[in-house]
Amino acid sequence: MDYKSTLNLPKTDFPMRGNLPQNEPKRYTKWFENRVYERMKKKREGAEMFTLHDGPPYANGKIHIGHALNKILKDIIVKDNYFQGHAVRFTPGWDCHGLPIEQQVEKKIGKTKKEQLPKTKIRELCRQHAAKFVEVQKEGFKSLGVIADWEHPYVTMDFRFEANIYRTLCGVAHKGLLVERNKPVYWSWAERTALAEAEVEYEEKEDYSIYVAFELGDKAKERLGHPEAAAIVIWTTTPWTLPANTGISLNPDEMYVLTSDGYIVAEKLFDDLVESGVVEGPVKMRIPAKDMEGMIAVNPLNGRPSRIVLGEHVVMENGTGAVHTAPGHGEDDYRVGLVNDLDVVMPVDEEGKYDETVVRLGLLPEPEKFVGMHIFKANEEILKLLGKSLLKVEKFTHSYPHCWRSHTPLIFRATKQWFVSIDGTPEGAQKSLREIALDEIEKTRFYPEWGRNRLASMVEGRPDWCISRQRDWGVPIAFFRNKKTGEVVLDEKVLNFIAMIFEMKGCDAWYDMSIDELLYPGSGYDPNDLEKVMDILDVWFDSGSTWYAVLKSRNYDAGRYPADLYLEGSDQHRGWFQSSLLLSSAIEQHAPYKAILTHGFTVDEKGEKMSKSKGNVVAPEQVAKKYGTEILRLWVAMSEYKSDLKISDAILKQVAENYRKIRNTFRFLLANANDLEDLLPIEKMGELDRWILKRAEEVFAAMRNSFKIYDFSKGFHQLNNFLTNELSGIYLDITKDRLYCDGVDDITRRSTQSAIAMIANTLLPLVAPVLTYTADELLEYAPAVIKADATDVFDLCYSPLPKVETAIDDTYMIAAREAFFEVVDRLKKEGVIKQTLELALVTRSEKLQVLGKKDAEDWFVVSEIVKESDKEALGDFEVDGDEFVIVRASGHKCPRCWRFAAPEEGTLCDRCAKVLNV
C-alpha cells in the first residue's frame, strides 16, 4: 500500500521562487495606487510619533547605489517604527538650487549664449532641469519599494519653500548673526564664486617652495645696530601672492637670529636652514621677536613697505619662522592683519587673473603685462623678478584645496561676502552660536558614537560660514541697500513683504520686479535711494533650513521639530548635519535633531571607489533586474553600513542565498500550519515546542534590541543563526515526524503547529521593514491562524512572543545531539546505517528524561530511547558524565513513518495503526 496519501504533508501555494524582478514592480505599483502611506498614517492616528527628516539629495542625474543605500536605510527605519506601532512621517525632499545644475544648463546652451540670456531665463532653464530629475529620482526611489509621502515631497525650488529659506535668512539677521564684510574666502576662479568649507576637497598639487629675503628698512637696521645689509627671510608656496604682501608675521614667543650673511630667521630653524643652503652661519646676533615688532621691511618685488607683526599662528615646524602675510589671500593673514591694521590688497579678479590693481598700486615691475594673466601662470615670471632676493626655489607636491565641482585648485581671495557669525551671540541668548551648537551636539545621540567627536571638532575649529555666492541659480540674499550709506535694510515689515511675494511668485520675483514693486507700501523708504543685493545663498543654506521649511512651517505633514532622526552619509558632518545645526541653533538655540545616524560609502568588493572608468559601478536598476530589490534591501540590512559598504555580484549572490533561506523557512512554516485553526495554549504544549518558543522569544528580543539602535546587520545575523541552527537545523527537522505522521488533531501535532504559527506571526512584522514585499506576498498565502484579520503587510503590528519556561537544558541537549551526529556520520561513511531512524539510544540521562519519551526520540531522530539493551553497541559518546550507547532499534521499519517501531516486517507501528484506525 502507498501510505503517502495518508500523511499530513505540507501544503501551501506560496511559491518557492519569488521571481522578484518580474513581480516586485506590480506589487509596488499596487501600493502606490492604493495610497499606502496615507493608510499607514491613518492606522497609527494618536500613536507616539516618530519623525525621520529626509536629507535632500541633489536633483541632478539618475539615482546611484549610494542613493539606494541611503533611501532604503531610511525606509527600513521608518517601517520598523511603523511595525512597532508608532505613527511615522517620512517626507522626501530634493535640493534644487546650486552650481551643478547651473553648469548642466551652461553645458547644454553654451557659455556664450548663457552670458547673453537674462538671469530669469537662465533660472527658468535651471528650474526645468531640476524638475526633470526630481521626477526621475522619485521613480527610482519608488522602484526600490520605499514608502514615503511621494505625493507631497519638499522641493527647495517650490515657491513656498523658497520663501521659507528666505525667512530663515531673515531669522539669522534678526538674531544679529548675519554680517557682511570684506574677507578672504575660498574662491573658485573656475566657477567664479565663493565656496564654503563643505564644498572644498583636497587633492594633490605641485607648487613652488621659495625662500625670499625682504631687506629691512634703514630705521630697522639702525634699531638692530646693524646698518649694513640685514634681511628677514620668508618662506611661501604661493609666489603669486607676494605682490599683495603688506606684512611679515613672527611668533611673539620665539627668538630669531641674524646670520653672518645678513639674514634673519628663527633660531629653532637655523640649523635646518643652514643644512638646506638657505642661509650660512655662524650666528652674529640673537633678537627676540618682540624687539622687531613694527619694523619695516621692503618687498623686493615692488619696493612697498612690509610691516613686521606678531602672530600666534606662526609655527616652528617648517619654513623660516617669518610668515609672508597678505591679508587679502589667507585666513590667518586676514586675522593678524585685522589686529595690526594691515592693508588688505586684492589684485586678483573673479577669474583668478591679475586686474588693474597691480597697475594702480604698482605691485609689480611693468605691471601692465600682468593684467589679465592667470595667477598660476604668473609664478615663473615672479620668480625671475625676485632676482638675488630669491634664496632658494624647488618644487614639491602637497595636498591642496580644490573646488568640489570643477576639481580646480582654489585660492583665498578677499571679497565682500555675507557670513553667519559663528562666535556671535544670538539676540536673547547667553552663549555664542558656536557654544550653543557644541552644547547641542552633547545632547544629541550619535550612531555610531564617533560621529559626536567628528561633528564637534568641525564646529570647534570652523571659521564664520560664508553663505553668499556670485551665481544665478539660487535663493537671492534679497535685501535692499541704501546707495548713499551702504546700510542694509532689515526692517521686519520690508522683509516680510518680500517673503510674501516669494511665496506667491517664487524668488524669481527679485529679478523680475522693480524695487518699487518689491518694497512694502508705507515703509518710509524711497525706492530711488535703494539698490538690490544680487548675491545668492550657498545651497548648503537651502538644505540647512529644511528643518524650518518642512518641520516648522506647517506646509507639510512631515512630523515634529526637532526630528527624531537625521540620517545621511558620513560626509554630511561637514555638510547637512552641520548647516542644519548652525541655522537651528542660531534661530531656536536648539539642534533640529535628537539623533544622527551616519552610513559609509559604497565601494566594490576590493574596497575601491566606484567609477565608470574602472568598470566597477553597480547600478541599483541593474541589481533590481537581475536579483530583485528585496536582495538590495537585504544587502543594506545585512551590511555594516556604519563603515564603507562593499557590493559586487558575488556579494549579492550570497545575499540572495540568505534571502532564499528566509523565504523557504517561511514557506515551511506556512505549509505546516495550513490546517491549524486555533492556537494551543502554551501550558498544554510539549517541551520541544516550549523550547523553540523560548529560543525564538530570546532571539527576537535580541533582534529588537539591535534594531532599536539601528544595528540591522547584527539583528539579521542573529536571525540567520537562529533559522539555520535551531529552527531549521534542529526543530523543523525533528518535528517533521509528528507534523506528517501524527493524527491531524493529535495534541502533539497541534502543539508543534501552534509553535510554528506563533513564530511566523511574530517574525513577519519583524522582517517586514526590510523584506516588505516578501512579507506582503506571504500574507496572501498565510492561513488565517497566522494572517488573522490583516489584509496586507501594512495591517501588521509587532507583538513579542510571550516568555516561556522550559525544563530543557539546551546547552546539554545540543552538545548531546552534536556528539551523537559525529558518531552517526562515521556509521554512514562506513555503510553501517543509512538513516538515524534505524538506531536506538541507550542512556540513563536524567536531563533527557525531562523531555518525555517521544520528544527525546525526536530530538535525536531515532526510533527509540531505552535505559538498557543487549544489542551490539555501534558507538558511544559522553556528555557531562552521562553515557550514551548507540545500538540498532529493536523494531521493524514502519512503511508509513519509516520509524523502526513496527512489531513485524511490513506492518504499521502502533502510532500509525492508531492514526489509520487499523
Side-chain angles (χ1 to χ4, degrees):
M1 180 178 174
D2 180 9
Y3 288 101
K4 186 176 180 181
S5 62
T6 72
L7 299 175
N8 310 308
L9 294 177
K11 186 179 179 183
T12 182
D13 291 327
F14 179 66
M16 186 178 293
R17 293 186 177 277
N19 291 325
L20 300 176
Q22 292 76 37
N23 294 332
E24 285 170 336
K26 299 172 191 171
R27 191 170 295 263
Y28 293 160
T29 300
K30 184 179 167 187
W31 289 352
F32 298 124
E33 286 175 350
N34 293 340
R35 295 168 60 86
V36 160
Y37 182 78
E38 293 301 319
R39 263 188 62 206
M40 290 167 70
K41 281 166 58 177
K42 194 168 183 180
K43 285 194 76 70
R44 298 290 188 264
E45 281 180 357
E48 183 184 349
M49 175 77 74
F50 175 83
T51 302
L52 186 148
H53 181 45
D54 188 27
Y58 198 62
N60 189 23
K62 295 166 73 173
I63 65 167
H64 53 64
I65 199 70
H67 285 128
L69 159 66
N70 180 272
K71 274 293 193 292
I72 288 171
L73 192 50
K74 289 172 180 173
D75 183 61
I76 289 171
I77 289 171
V78 170
K79 285 177 181 168
D80 186 54
N81 276 275
Y82 175 76
F83 289 118
Q84 294 304 307
H86 297 143
V88 293
R89 294 294 184 272
F90 185 21
T91 298
W94 278 270
D95 253 339
C96 300
H97 298 120
L99 184 60
I101 288 172
E102 196 174 331
Q103 282 182 321
Q104 289 300 315
V105 168
E106 185 175 294
K107 190 187 294 183
K108 190 174 180 181
I109 64 176
K111 188 174 181 180
T112 305
K113 187 176 179 182
K114 180 175 181 282
E115 289 171 352
Q116 294 168 350
L117 288 174
K119 196 179 283 271
T120 48
K121 181 61 180 176
I122 295 165
R123 290 173 63 85
E124 180 189 329
L125 294 171
C126 289
R127 191 176 292 277
Q128 289 170 3
H129 180 94
K132 171 189 172 183
F133 283 105
V134 165
E135 291 306 312
V136 167
Q137 292 187 5
K138 184 193 293 184
E139 292 308 309
F141 290 136
K142 288 169 74 174
S143 74
L144 300 173
V146 175
I147 304 294
D149 196 356
W150 296 115
E151 293 182 25
H152 309 100
Y154 75 83
V155 178
T156 60
M157 66 180 180
D158 286 349
F159 291 173
R160 288 191 301 176
F161 207 104
E162 289 182 331
N164 280 323
I165 293 170
Y166 177 67
R167 287 187 179 110
T168 307
L169 173 67
C170 296
V172 174
H174 287 140
K175 289 291 181 179
L177 296 174
L178 189 65
V179 293
E180 186 187 23
R181 61 173 179 259
N182 202 47
K183 182 178 184 291
V185 292
Y186 283 116
W187 186 269
S188 173
W189 46 267
E191 308 299 344
R192 304 190 305 283
T193 187
L195 297 182
E197 279 203 338
E199 298 169 299
V200 177
E201 294 179 348
Y202 283 82
E203 299 176 21
E204 292 296 298
K205 181 178 183 291
E206 187 180 63
D207 270 322
Y208 286 100
S209 166
I210 65 171
Y211 295 83
V212 182
F214 278 55
E215 189 76 20
L216 289 181
D218 292 341
K219 288 185 180 179
K221 292 176 184 175
E222 285 177 21
R223 273 176 60 184
L224 289 178
H226 279 271
E228 69 276 14
I232 192 159
V233 183
I234 65 95
W235 171 72
T236 184
T237 59
T238 54
W240 61 268
T241 63
L242 286 172
N245 172 281
T246 57
I248 297 172
S249 299
L250 308 181
N251 188 304
D253 301 318
E254 292 296 333
M255 188 67 72
Y256 288 75
V257 294
L258 175 65
T259 66
S260 60
D261 51 349
Y263 297 121
I264 297 170
V265 295
E267 185 175 42
K268 285 182 178 174
L269 294 165
F270 171 70
D271 290 339
D272 291 341
L273 292 167
V274 170
E275 189 176 331
S276 60
V278 177
V279 299
E280 296 177 3
V283 170
K284 289 175 65 177
M285 180 182 183
R286 297 174 77 241
I287 315 162
K290 290 176 181 176
D291 288 358
M292 289 186 279
E293 185 179 13
M295 288 182 177
I296 300 296
V298 180
N299 188 330
L301 271 180
N302 51 32
R304 288 167 60 86
S306 180
R307 183 148 47 90
I308 296 174
V309 296
L310 303 179
E312 301 287 346
H313 67 288
V314 180
V315 296
M316 297 292 123
E317 293 170 5
N318 50 30
T320 66
V323 174
H324 147 58
T325 302
H329 287 305
E331 180 72 25
D332 288 330
D333 300 40
Y334 175 77
R335 286 177 179 172
V336 77
L338 209 60
V339 173
N340 293 281
D341 199 26
L342 297 179
D343 289 340
V344 178
V345 176
M346 175 43 56
V348 180
D349 69 13
E350 62 179 14
E351 294 183 331
K353 298 172 182 177
Y354 285 122
D355 61 19
E356 291 291 339
T357 308
V358 294
V359 178
R360 182 166 49 84
L361 298 180
L363 300 182
L364 286 159
E366 299 181 49
E368 291 81 4
K369 76 174 188 180
F370 285 91
V371 176
M373 183 185 291
H374 197 280
I375 51 171
F376 292 153
K377 289 183 179 175
N379 278 331
E380 286 78 5
E381 293 297 319
I382 288 171
L383 295 182
K384 292 174 188 175
L385 292 171
L386 286 170
K388 293 181 180 179
S389 297
L390 182 60
L391 304 184
K392 184 176 182 181
V393 59
E394 56 190 2
K395 283 191 171 183
F396 76 116
T397 301
H398 64 145
S399 180
Y400 186 87
H402 282 65
C403 174
W404 69 292
R405 192 68 197 173
S406 63
H407 298 286
T408 51
L410 298 175
I411 59 174
F412 262 105
R413 178 172 178 265
T415 56
K416 204 160 195 176
Q417 301 288 345
W418 293 90
F419 297 87
V420 175
S421 174
I422 303 299
D423 289 311
T425 301
E427 190 174 311
Q430 303 299 313
K431 295 181 178 180
S432 72
L433 174 55
R434 192 189 305 275
E435 290 168 333
I436 293 168
L438 289 170
D439 285 349
E440 289 302 303
I441 290 170
E442 281 306 304
K443 297 173 189 172
T444 302
R445 296 188 305 279
F446 284 82
Y447 307 93
E449 175 59 30
W450 56 256
R452 184 187 311 279
N453 288 338
R454 181 175 166 84
L455 183 54
S457 64
M458 288 180 172
V459 171
E460 277 173 356
R462 69 158 299 139
D464 288 347
W465 177 11
C466 177
I467 61 169
S468 48
R469 298 291 180 271
Q470 292 68 47
R471 300 293 298 191
D472 295 326
W473 179 228
V475 175
I477 299 177
F479 296 139
F480 296 123
R481 190 194 306 278
N482 188 301
K483 287 189 279 192
K484 295 174 184 174
T485 65
E487 185 181 349
V488 174
V489 177
L490 295 177
D491 184 293
E492 196 164 345
K493 288 180 180 177
V494 172
L495 301 184
N496 287 343
F497 189 69
I498 294 169
M500 186 181 71
I501 291 172
F502 285 2
E503 192 152 312
M504 292 187 296
K505 301 185 178 185
C507 61
D508 286 356
W510 188 247
Y511 309 98
D512 292 336
M513 295 171 68
S514 67
I515 292 176
D516 193 28
E517 293 171 307
L518 290 163
L519 190 60
Y520 174 65
S523 67
Y525 292 94
D526 183 346
N528 296 316
D529 293 340
L530 304 177
E531 62 184 5
K532 296 176 184 177
V533 172
M534 296 304 284
D535 290 342
I536 63 167
L537 283 167
D538 169 17
V539 74
W540 288 109
F541 194 99
D542 287 21
S543 54
S545 57
T546 58
W547 59 269
Y548 176 79
V550 179
L551 300 180
K552 291 209 74 174
S553 72
R554 299 187 180 177
N555 288 340
Y556 304 88
D557 182 11
R560 62 190 178 188
Y561 168 89
D564 292 288
L565 185 67
Y566 272 35
L567 184 169
E568 296 301 325
S570 54
D571 58 331
Q572 295 307 318
H573 290 109
R574 64 202 287 259
W576 189 56
F577 296 148
Q578 192 176 155
S579 63
S580 301
L581 172 67
L582 292 175
L583 293 181
S584 183
S585 296
I587 297 171
E588 301 289 338
Q589 283 84 65
H590 200 293
Y593 37 67
K594 297 177 184 176
I596 283 178
L597 186 150
T598 52
H599 60 76
F601 298 102
T602 50
V603 294
D604 68 13
E605 60 188 336
K606 296 177 184 175
E608 294 181 2
K609 189 177 177 182
M610 293 185 188
S611 68
K612 288 179 183 177
S613 60
K614 287 182 183 176
N616 62 349
V617 173
V618 178
E621 64 266 26
Q622 291 172 350
V623 178
K625 284 178 185 175
K626 185 171 183 180
Y627 295 101
T629 57
E630 289 287 81
I631 306 307
L632 194 58
R633 294 174 65 87
L634 190 56
W635 166 74
V636 171
M638 296 191 71
S639 297
E640 289 287 352
Y641 61 80
K642 290 167 189 175
S643 54
D644 286 350
L645 292 83
K646 292 181 179 180
I647 187 168
S648 66
D649 201 54
I651 291 168
L652 288 167
K653 281 179 182 175
Q654 183 58 50
V655 175
E657 282 301 314
N658 287 327
Y659 171 78
R660 274 191 281 276
K661 178 68 180 174
I662 294 170
R663 184 181 180 91
N664 288 332
T665 300
F666 265 116
R667 187 173 185 272
F668 187 90
L669 298 178
L670 262 59
N672 281 287
N674 69 302
D675 63 352
L676 180 68
E677 293 182 359
D678 298 301
L679 294 175
L680 194 70
I682 290 173
E683 58 271 16
K684 292 185 178 180
M685 288 185 177
E687 284 298 330
L688 280 183
D689 305 317
R690 293 163 69 88
W691 167 75
I692 199 62
L693 285 175
K694 180 175 186 290
R695 286 298 299 128
E697 187 276 326
E698 291 168 351
V699 171
F700 296 171
M703 280 182 72
R704 281 300 324 138
N705 288 334
S706 297
F707 284 10
K708 280 178 187 175
I709 57 172
Y710 310 118
D711 196 344
F712 299 103
S713 172
K714 184 177 180 182
F716 264 87
H717 282 99
Q718 289 166 325
L719 176 63
N720 277 342
N721 286 336
F722 172 68
L723 295 183
T724 302
N725 298 321
E726 290 142 309
L727 187 63
S728 297
I730 299 177
Y731 183 73
L732 297 181
D733 180 50
I734 65 180
T735 56
K736 284 177 184 175
D737 177 75
R738 63 186 63 183
L739 287 169
Y740 300 172
C741 303
D742 277 6
V744 170
D745 292 319
D746 190 289
I747 192 169
T748 310
R749 181 170 182 266
R750 291 304 190 200
S751 173
T752 295
Q753 284 185 302
S754 296
I756 281 172
M758 289 171 70
I759 288 169
N761 186 275
T762 305
L763 190 53
L764 266 172
L766 198 53
V767 300
V770 178
L771 302 175
T772 321
Y773 166 89
T774 304
D776 197 34
E777 185 191 9
L778 277 160
L779 273 178
E780 281 187 20
Y781 299 94
V785 71
I786 293 173
K787 189 174 184 176
D789 57 356
T791 57
D792 62 22
V793 68
F794 301 103
D795 285 335
L796 296 180
C797 190
Y798 177 77
S799 181
L801 283 168
K803 289 192 177 293
V804 179
E805 295 301 322
T806 174
I808 292 178
D809 179 350
D810 61 358
T811 304
Y812 174 88
M813 293 300 298
I814 290 170
R817 185 178 159 89
E818 288 174 352
F820 169 71
F821 276 98
E822 280 183 24
V823 180
V824 165
D825 287 344
R826 175 178 59 80
L827 294 175
K828 284 181 176 179
K829 283 177 185 175
E830 292 172 356
V832 177
I833 63 166
K834 291 182 179 179
Q835 57 176 328
T836 55
L837 287 174
E838 298 173 36
L839 303 174
L841 266 180
V842 183
T843 183
R844 293 183 176 273
S845 165
E846 292 182 5
K847 289 184 177 180
L848 200 60
Q849 291 173 16
V850 169
L851 270 73
K853 185 174 185 301
K854 181 69 169 66
D855 280 358
E857 289 169 354
D858 284 349
W859 182 263
F860 295 97
V861 198
V862 295
S863 289
E864 89 187 297
I865 293 181
V866 295
K867 290 184 178 179
E868 54 187 43
S869 172
D870 57 3
K871 287 187 175 289
E872 177 190 357
L874 301 178
D876 60 74
F877 58 93
E878 185 180 308
V879 181
D880 286 359
D882 293 335
E883 293 182 357
F884 294 79
V885 178
I886 300 170
V887 299
R888 289 193 179 276
S890 58
H892 298 275
K893 183 178 182 179
C894 172
R896 180 172 180 269
C897 70
W898 297 1
R899 292 170 72 93
F900 282 67
E904 296 177 17
E905 189 74 34
T907 62
L908 295 173
C909 66
D910 290 346
R911 188 265 309 266
C912 289
K914 185 179 177 183
V915 169
L916 297 184
N917 198 25
V918 294

